Amino acid sequence: MSISRFSKESKGRYPVCFALCPDLFTGTDKDFPLSDGLARYPEALARYPYLIDLARIEEAKSRLAAEQSSFPESASIPMINPHLDLLKVKWRFLPRMLAGEAVVPEPGDEYVLILKKSGAGVPEVRKASPQDLLALKLVAEQTHPRKAAADGKVSLGAIDRTILRAKRRGLIIGAGTRIKRPDDFPKGEQIDPDLFQSPTFTLQWHITQACDLNCRHCYDRSERDPMPLDHAIGVLDDLYDFCRDHGVFGQVSFSGGNPLLYPYFDRLYTEAAERGFMIAILGNPMPKNRIENMLGIQKPEFYQVSLEGLIQHNDFIRGRGHYERTVDFLKLLGDMGIYRMVMLTLTAGNLDQVLELADGLRGLTELFTFSRLATVGRGADLLPVPVDLFPGFLDQYMEAARLNPVMGFKDNLFNPLLRRHNLPLFGGCAGHGCGAAFNFVSLLPDGQVHACRKFPSLIGNLYTEKLNTLYYSPAAHRYRQGPEACKDCPVRPACGGCLAVSFGSGRDIFKESDPYCPRQAMGL
């Protein structure tokens, strides 16, 4: 009895199988899978016993390639990629063989992923790792990360990193961010759509008022008791739930006072790391062993310190010896591989020192920026930058930044200037213009939550309410909207001025624009 073989047209679906056994593809049969029909060819299987599994993989790849792609932009909850197949095979190294590597498959159970990513026409084939399988299982069963962490006796952060890794590899479609500007927010002209939504949410947490400095421009030296540890851990859980429900990555920026003077700092840092948060420090120079403790837990995203000008002026503001201690500390951070940031508060007294300071910081920091003085607290005793000198200073700073890689932009009012020069806008103070109560809030030791720490902007208290409730409160909404005067400005999504500066100058922050705004002068 004659046995018909597989059609030559089928070899396009089975290129590797065809390369191994071209004699199988000489007949007219078209309508059944090669993997089902190979049992009729014991001589081929004797030579290539892995051929059936190889054919199964090529069939899945061909099928996915022919499917019309349909990828949701986001999901309300994480979901498995609809264009994904997971096959259990009895031979190892088949994906590498399909990729053209000179390998010989070996007996052994293995899981193989065949998936098509959004925007890609050709599916990819790869071995599924244990992390891939865990992520797919958790998403398929809709297991809450807390339960998964408890069952596996691992940290929440480990579970979330597993899901994130699978999302980045295209296995999972994650929930899209819910941190978005409202539909009636000014759109501007040719504004990057990413400015209207944030993938992260930051809690700037002033965990203690204790400080080893006594700066002349400090905006709050009030007495506030440090938060008890159990309440602080509850805050981390609340932040975790908020970020998960809103489809964003969470960051905790520990500040103060000096955050490392909080009596339970190392424990709280550990708890934040175990929940998978990115962690940053806004603080003062500290001994090496304190930094080593942090590195033993989780490397911070960055460590920010402050300098207020050249040595004489800086030490007048922050105390004798501060400049040299900070320079030495920056060298220490560099030796330890930590990203260094230096912040300056711009005043009339240091306006002419900024560029020289920035030049001296080459090699000592990865990023140098400034923010304008908010005449709040002790800062009310200092002189702000004269309004008429500010535009010229911005021009000088931008010119110097072209040649100095450590100089960055933070002040929102760079954006009107960039637009005047037909240059791309940047994200402004918080990556989305003014981020007050949008992609960050500030938490004080007594539970008070403010839209921005640089001026009184209370939206509630985490001792009595959840972060989600405070975020959607009328008070938070008003701060997110910003000044009415900015509504029709073409750079509003990347700007909004500085509410703290406006407050310090006595303006109505919900109606009037930043007193330094160059909009009229530039004809915007």
Side-chain angles (χ1 to χ4, degrees):
M1 181 177 67
S2 63
I3 300 177
S4 62
R5 297 177 183 267
F6 298 94
S7 68
K8 293 181 180 179
E9 291 81 359
S10 296
K11 69 181 182 182
R13 296 171 55 199
Y14 305 96
V16 179
C17 291
F18 175 78
L20 292 173
C21 301
D23 55 311
L24 293 179
F25 298 86
T26 58
T28 58
D29 292 342
K30 300 180 182 181
D31 298 330
F32 57 90
L34 174 63
S35 59
D36 290 347
L38 280 172
R40 298 180 302 171
Y41 301 98
E43 71 281 4
L45 294 177
R47 187 174 181 186
Y48 304 111
Y50 49 82
L51 198 59
I52 291 178
D53 278 342
L54 187 63
R56 290 173 61 214
I57 296 173
E58 290 202 296
E59 285 163 2
K61 184 178 180 181
S62 177
R63 182 177 65 255
L64 287 175
E67 284 182 357
Q68 186 174 357
S69 299
S70 176
F71 292 93
E73 292 185 6
S74 63
S76 58
I77 57 175
M79 61 177 288
I80 294 174
N81 182 339
H83 303 286
L84 178 148
D85 266 354
L86 177 66
L87 301 180
K88 184 178 181 180
V89 297
K90 298 180 179 181
W91 293 85
R92 300 167 57 211
F93 310 135
L94 293 179
R96 293 173 58 186
M97 186 179 188
L98 284 165
E101 294 185 39
V103 296
V104 177
E106 297 178 358
D109 288 346
E110 193 167 81
Y111 284 92
V112 176
L113 287 166
I114 308 97
L115 73 153
K116 185 161 59 173
K117 296 180 180 179
S118 179
V122 179
E124 61 180 73
V125 178
R126 63 168 180 263
K127 173 186 173 182
S129 69
Q131 293 89 348
D132 293 333
L133 297 175
L134 175 60
L136 291 171
K137 174 179 171 62
L138 294 177
V139 171
E141 297 176 356
Q142 292 298 310
T143 304
H144 194 284
R146 280 204 179 90
K147 183 179 186 306
D151 291 345
K153 297 181 180 180
V154 297
S155 69
L156 265 175
I159 296 298
D160 282 343
R161 284 191 292 274
T162 297
I163 300 295
L164 174 61
R165 178 178 178 271
K167 181 179 177 181
R168 288 176 173 169
R169 299 185 74 181
L171 280 65
I172 290 168
I173 296 173
T177 176
R178 290 175 54 203
I179 302 297
K180 297 180 179 182
R181 296 292 191 187
D183 291 339
D184 61 349
F185 197 76
K187 295 297 188 289
E189 300 172 6
Q190 299 179 339
I191 299 292
D192 186 345
D194 287 342
L195 288 173
F196 296 92
Q197 59 184 27
S198 177
T200 61
F201 184 84
T202 297
L203 181 70
Q204 187 184 82
W205 194 349
H206 298 257
I207 56 176
T208 179
Q209 295 291 88
C211 192
D212 48 329
L213 302 178
N214 191 23
C215 302
R216 293 177 181 269
H217 59 359
C218 183
Y219 40 75
D220 185 4
R221 296 295 293 175
S222 62
E223 294 289 335
R224 301 175 191 263
D225 292 334
M227 186 176 291
L229 181 61
D230 58 340
H231 281 288
I233 292 175
V235 166
L236 292 176
D237 287 335
D238 190 13
L239 176 64
Y240 178 87
D241 289 339
F242 178 88
C243 291
R244 184 174 186 270
D245 290 345
H246 286 77
V248 293
F249 303 111
Q251 175 171 310
V252 179
S253 292
F254 286 118
S255 187
N258 184 347
L260 274 71
L261 298 182
Y262 178 65
Y264 315 107
F265 177 80
D266 287 351
R267 171 69 186 281
L268 194 58
Y269 192 97
T270 300
E271 295 283 349
E274 287 182 348
R275 285 158 178 76
F277 293 126
M278 300 177 287
I279 307 176
I281 305 296
L282 315 177
N284 302 335
M286 294 296 287
K288 181 179 180 180
N289 69 299
R290 297 302 307 276
I291 312 306
E292 288 174 334
N293 289 345
M294 285 193 295
L295 288 178
I297 301 166
Q298 176 174 305
K299 184 178 180 179
E301 298 296 310
F302 61 84
Y303 196 119
Q304 178 179 294
V305 295
S306 295
L307 287 171
E308 308 305 340
L310 303 179
I311 184 167
Q312 183 176 356
H313 181 79
N314 178 83
D315 289 2
F316 168 74
I317 296 293
R318 290 190 169 265
R320 176 180 291 183
H322 176 268
Y323 186 95
E324 293 295 342
R325 289 197 305 274
T326 301
V327 168
D328 289 343
F329 185 64
L330 289 170
K331 293 176 182 177
L332 172 66
L333 292 178
D335 291 342
M336 300 177 85
I338 295 175
Y339 189 95
R340 302 161 293 181
M341 292 173 56
V342 176
M343 171 65 72
L344 173 141
T345 299
L346 190 68
T347 68
N350 62 13
L351 186 68
D352 60 350
Q353 301 177 35
V354 174
L355 302 187
E356 185 175 350
L357 174 65
D359 196 54
L361 287 172
R362 293 173 186 259
L364 290 173
T365 184
E366 280 64 58
L367 183 63
F368 169 74
T369 58
F370 70 86
S371 62
R372 283 170 285 144
L373 172 73
T375 51
V376 176
R378 297 190 70 187
D381 295 330
L382 299 179
L383 292 176
V385 175
V387 172
D388 61 329
L389 297 183
F390 189 59
F393 168 77
L394 291 184
D395 276 323
Q396 294 171 8
Y397 188 96
M398 286 179 60
E399 184 63 27
R402 293 175 55 202
L403 303 175
N404 187 343
V406 307
M407 295 175 68
F409 297 167
K410 181 176 176 64
D411 196 301
N412 288 331
L413 295 186
F414 275 112
N415 277 314
L417 190 61
L418 290 168
R419 187 176 188 274
R420 186 184 72 182
H421 292 300
N422 294 316
L423 295 172
L425 304 184
F426 81 112
C429 177
H432 307 272
C434 178
F438 173 60
N439 65 328
F440 76 86
V441 294
S442 293
L443 173 63
L444 306 192
D446 57 3
Q448 284 191 8
V449 178
H450 289 251
C452 174
R453 184 65 180 99
K454 291 175 65 178
F455 75 107
S457 48
L458 183 66
I459 60 176
N461 195 300
L462 281 187
Y463 277 167
T464 57
E465 295 180 280
K466 293 292 187 180
L467 180 57
N468 190 73
T469 301
L470 299 183
Y471 186 82
Y472 291 103
S473 67
H477 177 74
R478 290 190 75 192
Y479 289 111
R480 280 196 289 276
Q481 289 297 100
E484 291 180 9
C486 297
K487 280 190 173 180
D488 62 344
C489 180
V491 299
R492 170 64 183 97
C495 188
C498 178
L499 297 180
V501 170
S502 292
F503 178 89
S505 70
R507 294 202 167 194
D508 184 334
I509 64 170
F510 299 118
K511 293 182 179 180
E512 299 177 273
S513 61
D514 187 317
Y516 290 82
C517 176
R519 182 178 178 184
Q520 289 185 346
M522 293 183 181
L524 296 179

